[in-house]
Each structure stands twice: as structure tokens, then as C-alpha cells.
Amino acid sequence: MSAPASTSRASAPAAASFALPPRPRRPLRAVAWTVVAVVVVASFWSVDITWSRLVELPAEVLRYVGLMFGSPNWSKLPEALWQTWRSVEMAWIGTVLGILVATPLSLVAARGFGPAPVRWALRLVFSVIRAVPELVFAIIILSVTGLTPLTGALALALNGVGTLGKWGYEAVEAVPPGPIEAARAAGGSTSQVLRWGVWPQASPTFLSFWLYRFEINVRASAVLGLIGVGGIGDMLTSYTQYREWSTVGMLLIVVVVVTMTIDAVSGRIRRRIMEGPSVRT
């Protein structure tokens, strides 16, 4: 009769040893979430929003969709295609100028190929450039060049230096070290190491980034046209101000079709560069 009692006394410490530890307290996390909640509530409270208009929003959207796409004004299609071509030209020139400036700078900014002060200064410049939208650069540049497509191309190029520079030095730093060490062991200079040890491995990534930046610039060129630098965005602004919704609908169709076509072609080329040609079975 004493065995069950001893068993229960033995299992009591064992059960106590498996008790869950007390939940850790994280007062800093609670304070952080409280501050975030207060900021969000204050943001909604301070913005002058007519919440009752949200109920009318779906009906208004449907009405304007009908005005734009019910019967598009195709008589303006030749002019729309010409202005779209100007936007693509703007994007292409901006991409090429950005590549010419960003590529050598990204090589210097990579770890192991440039002095530390220069490297960190270039990375800071890339970060500052990326923090400024293309539209702000265009507004600053137009005071010198005026309302011309060159203004948009320069703004796209300047903004592209920030992104292409960052992508570039990250691609160089991701290269396997074997060919680099072999080139240095053979007595190669820094330029020779970059040419023979880095570029053959990093060039597909660079080409992919350049094409992707061109896709971004094509979309951004339409936005830059809103300030009057030319292109399809300039037409959109003009016809929207005059409430010619049928023409606006046609312009939106052209923008969507051209942008999707360029994205599809560029994406296919990028996949071919990164993955190589597919083998037919």
C-alpha cells in the first residue's frame, strides 16, 4: 500500500520541474508598439478626410471608367504613339547616361577595389540620390535646361546613378573570390583584376540590372511628362485638365500596352542573360 504513495511523491518534483518558465517581459517592445499606434491614430486624426465620401467612391470610379473607356478617342492615336516614342527615347537616353556614370563608380565603391574613405563616400552619395524622386530632380534641372525632353532624360540618369551604383557594387562583391585571387597572384593591377577576374562573372548581372533600370525609366518617363518635359505624360496632363476623358482613356490604353510590351521583352532578355538559352528536348 505504500508504493503508490511513494510514486506520487516521486512524480511531484518531476511535474514541478516541467513547469513553464515565466513569460519574459519586454517593456521596450510594448512602448514601441504604443508609440506606433499613437502615431497612426494621430496621422488619421490630423488629415482632413471626408470619410462620408468613401461611400461614394466606387460609383465615381465606375463613372469615370465609363467616360474614359466607353468610347476612346482613337483619332489622337498617331500623336499618342509619337509622344510615347519620345518618352521611350527619354528613358533610353537616361538609362545610357546613368550606366556610363554609375558603372565605374560602382566598381570603385566595391569592397577591395577602392580606398575606404572613397568607398563610403560613394555609397553615401548613392543613398542620397536614391532618396530623391526623379520628379524632384527634374524640377531642379528644368531651371537650367527648360521644359524639354533633355530635362527628363537627365533626371532619369541622375536618379539611375543611385540605384545602378548600389546594384553594381553589390554584384561585384558577390563575385566568387577564386578568379580575383588568381588574377592578383599573376601580378595583375586593379584594372586588370576587374577586367579579367570580376567582369566575366559579374557582366550578366550588370546587363540584367541595366535592362531592369530601363523598364523603370519607361514608367517614370510618363510621370515626368506631367510637369511638361514632353512625352505621353504631357498629353495626359493636358487632356485631363480639359476633361476630355475619351482621349485620356485612349492614352492610358497606349501607356499600358507599350509598358507591358517593353516589360515582357526586357524580362525575356534578362532571363536569357541570367539563365542562358533553353535546351529543347
Side-chain angles (χ1 to χ4, degrees):
M1 297 296 292
S2 60
S6 61
T7 303
S8 62
R9 286 194 299 269
S11 61
S17 63
F18 286 102
L20 295 176
R23 187 175 181 179
R25 296 181 178 180
R26 297 183 176 91
L28 293 179
R29 179 180 294 184
V31 171
W33 280 111
T34 303
V35 171
V36 170
V38 170
V39 170
V40 171
V41 172
S43 300
F44 277 98
W45 191 269
S46 60
V47 176
D48 187 13
I49 299 177
T50 306
W51 297 101
S52 59
R53 295 292 301 275
L54 291 178
V55 180
E56 306 172 2
L57 183 61
E60 290 294 316
V61 170
L62 291 176
R63 185 171 73 88
Y64 281 104
V65 168
L67 291 174
M68 288 188 293
F69 303 110
S71 56
N73 182 13
W74 297 108
S75 63
K76 299 290 185 180
L77 181 60
E79 183 182 359
L81 293 176
W82 168 244
Q83 294 297 335
T84 302
W85 175 248
R86 295 187 68 184
S87 295
V88 173
E89 286 181 326
M90 191 190 310
W92 177 253
I93 294 173
T95 304
V96 172
L97 292 177
I99 290 170
L100 294 177
V101 176
T103 301
L105 295 180
S106 65
L107 297 177
V108 177
R111 189 180 298 108
F113 296 98
V118 176
R119 186 170 68 245
W120 290 111
L122 286 175
R123 295 189 180 196
L124 178 62
V125 170
F126 293 155
S127 299
V128 172
I129 291 175
R130 290 197 309 274
V132 182
E134 298 95 342
L135 195 61
V136 176
F137 283 131
I139 293 173
I140 296 173
I141 295 173
L142 67 83
S143 61
V144 179
T145 58
L147 294 174
T148 63
L150 178 62
T151 302
L154 293 177
L156 294 173
L158 186 56
N159 189 265
V161 169
T163 54
L164 291 174
K166 181 178 187 298
W167 293 341
Y169 73 72
E170 288 180 347
V172 172
E173 292 177 352
V175 169
I180 299 175
E181 295 174 356
R184 285 175 174 166
S189 61
T190 301
S191 60
Q192 292 172 333
V193 170
L194 288 170
R195 171 62 184 88
W196 303 108
V198 174
W199 185 250
Q201 303 177 85
S203 57
T205 306
F206 271 85
L207 293 173
S208 177
F209 288 156
W210 295 347
L211 287 171
Y212 184 55
R213 183 63 206 184
F214 174 63
E215 296 176 22
I216 296 174
N217 286 348
V218 169
R219 292 188 289 269
S221 63
V223 178
L224 291 178
L226 298 177
I227 64 173
V229 297
I232 193 67
D234 198 359
M235 283 188 70
L236 276 170
T237 303
S238 300
Y239 286 103
T240 302
Q241 290 175 348
Y242 289 107
R243 309 292 182 180
E244 296 187 21
W245 301 116
S246 59
T247 305
V248 172
M250 182 272 300
L251 295 175
L252 290 177
I253 293 173
V254 171
V255 169
V256 170
V257 171
V258 171
T259 303
M260 291 180 63
T261 303
I262 292 176
D263 287 352
V265 174
S266 177
R268 189 175 182 85
I269 296 174
R270 284 192 288 114
R271 285 193 299 272
R272 180 68 177 266
I273 291 172
M274 298 302 295
E275 301 175 4
S278 59
V279 179
R280 294 184 178 181
T281 57

